[in-house]
Amino acid sequence: MSAPFIALEAVQRAFYARMTASPELMALVTGVYDDVPEDATYPYIVLGEATETPDNAHARIGRATSSMLHIWSQYDGYAEALQILSVLAALFDHQPLDVPGLHHVSTNYEFSQTLTDPEPPGNIRHIPVRFRTRTEQP
């Protein structure tokens, strides 16, 4: 059995690469960010929080990584953000994913929620969405 590993960075890189390589998604957003620049314009996606837990079986070492993506929009209503969410689901839910250095087992949509930022000016829409990615050492 191989030594334990951490999959968080490799999964985040795979998500970023998939999103920025998608002409359909990039036509809908102004960027995909890990750190949002001050001059960023809406709509955009932020690579958010992640958790990782062991997902071992028999003689293999695996990880389950939950990755949060944040969709931000200033469109009146949720239509724009929900369209972006639909594209993200098509890109990741039950789709193969190239995770550098690891064997990708699966990626599944876990949840999303529509939120309105109550702070002034009160016109910012936010949809956090979470995907769970299972990987194992090759």
Side-chain angles (χ1 to χ4, degrees):
M1 189 177 331
S2 301
F5 67 98
I6 300 299
L8 284 170
E9 182 180 5
V11 171
Q12 184 181 45
R13 288 182 185 278
F15 269 70
Y16 180 83
R18 170 73 55 89
M19 287 186 285
T20 57
S22 167
E24 183 179 10
L25 181 63
M26 297 312 293
L28 297 175
V29 299
T30 62
V32 175
Y33 303 108
D34 185 19
D35 183 36
V36 182
E38 279 189 38
D39 62 346
T41 58
Y42 295 94
Y44 57 81
I45 297 170
V46 177
L47 295 161
E49 305 75 15
T51 60
E52 183 175 295
T53 57
D55 192 25
N56 304 323
H58 305 292
R60 71 162 183 79
I61 296 176
R63 296 290 183 260
T65 305
S66 288
S67 302
M68 196 69 113
L69 303 175
H70 297 274
I71 302 164
W72 294 95
S73 170
Q74 276 191 319
Y75 188 83
D76 289 336
Y78 286 102
E80 180 178 70
L82 290 170
Q83 183 180 12
I84 295 166
L85 175 61
S86 293
V87 173
L88 287 174
L91 287 174
F92 294 109
D93 190 30
H94 294 277
Q95 297 300 314
L97 185 64
D98 181 21
V99 182
L102 300 173
H103 171 72
H104 176 256
V105 177
S106 65
T107 297
N108 303 98
Y109 169 83
E110 283 196 325
F111 86 93
S112 59
Q113 180 180 359
T114 57
L115 302 168
T116 301
D117 189 340
E119 294 298 317
N123 65 342
I124 299 173
R125 304 294 192 244
H126 175 204
I127 299 181
V129 56
R130 187 170 66 202
F131 293 93
R132 178 173 301 271
T133 302
R134 290 178 176 79
T135 55
E136 62 187 25
Q137 289 180 322

